[in-house]
């Protein structure tokens, strides 16, 4: 599937096979010394369960998040805001015309939580600061595939 970058206007390939066929549910990995929890949670209910699981498992964690515009983003953000343990939200601006713009995600987040949030362009996914806290990646298969490609992880 080809998309046009909203930044440069160039055509890019969003989900080359096999990356678009990820089956991530509570997929825990360690990469570069950081625990990663990869999950395809893209509904308010699945995000709520994921936040509950991550809170019980890790105590505190950061979230890398992006969602497509046909999803209940308000419900997903609310589930993150009321869950225990989330310390930092990274909102990814995906190169996908179907995705919520990360600025909108951040605006909605500010109305729900005082926890810090940072905008991350898709091209900068691999530059997210390496920390001791686990990183939960959720919101869309599109984000999972982009993150895994950027980190050199196999599905």
């Amino acid at each position: 599937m080809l998309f046009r970058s909203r930044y440069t206007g160039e055509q890019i390939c969003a989900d080359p096979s096999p990356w678009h066929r990820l089956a991530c549910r509570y997929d825990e990995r360690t990469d570069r010394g950081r625990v990663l929890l990869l999950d395809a949670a893209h509904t308010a209910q699945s995000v709520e369960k994921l936040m509950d699981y991550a809170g019980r498992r890790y105590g505190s964690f950061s979230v890398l998040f992006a969602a497509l515009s046909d999803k209940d983003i308000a419900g997903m953000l609310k589930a993150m805001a009321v869950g225990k343990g989330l310390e930092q939200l990274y909102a990814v601006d995906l190169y996908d015309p179907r995705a919520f713009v990360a600025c909108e995600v951040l605006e909605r987040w500010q109305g729900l939580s005082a926890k810090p949030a940072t905008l991350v362009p898709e091209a900068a996914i691999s530059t997210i600061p390496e920390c001791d806290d686990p990183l939960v990646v959720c919101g869309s298969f599109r984000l999972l595939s982009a993150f895994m490609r950027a980190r050199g992880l196999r599905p």
Side-chain angles (χ1 to χ4, degrees):
M1 193 178 300
L2 288 176
F3 294 107
R4 189 169 299 282
S5 167
R6 89 171 56 125
Y7 299 105
T8 65
E10 67 181 297
Q11 284 208 334
I12 56 173
C13 186
D15 290 318
S17 180
W19 298 100
H20 70 288
R21 286 187 236 116
L22 301 173
C24 297
R25 296 305 297 178
Y26 299 96
D27 182 359
E28 186 175 293
R29 303 174 182 209
T30 301
D31 181 53
R32 303 176 197 169
R34 189 173 197 181
V35 173
L36 306 174
L37 180 60
L38 309 174
D39 193 280
H42 60 281
T43 66
Q45 296 80 12
S46 60
V47 169
E48 182 179 0
K49 289 177 183 176
L50 177 62
M51 295 299 109
D52 181 57
Y53 173 81
R56 285 184 285 112
R57 177 116 172 97
Y58 308 120
S60 65
F61 55 91
S62 296
V63 172
L64 183 68
F65 175 78
L68 298 185
S69 58
D70 64 339
K71 304 301 180 210
D72 176 15
I73 192 165
M76 289 190 282
L77 290 173
K78 183 177 179 187
M80 284 186 244
V82 299
K84 293 182 172 68
L86 189 147
E87 296 296 326
Q88 169 77 41
L89 175 68
Y90 296 99
V92 178
D93 210 4
L94 292 175
Y95 296 145
D96 190 325
R98 302 169 298 168
F100 272 101
V101 177
C103 292
E104 183 177 345
V105 173
L106 294 179
E107 286 174 16
R108 291 181 184 213
W109 179 252
Q110 290 171 351
L112 294 170
S113 176
K115 298 284 184 178
T118 305
L119 186 147
V120 180
E122 182 177 337
I125 284 178
S126 63
T127 66
I128 292 169
E130 297 299 328
C131 303
D132 291 335
D133 68 331
L135 180 65
V136 176
V137 182
C138 67
S140 77
F141 282 108
R142 176 70 184 79
L143 172 62
L144 288 170
S145 65
F147 178 77
M148 292 176 74
R149 275 195 315 273
R151 300 282 291 224
L153 301 172
R154 301 302 308 157

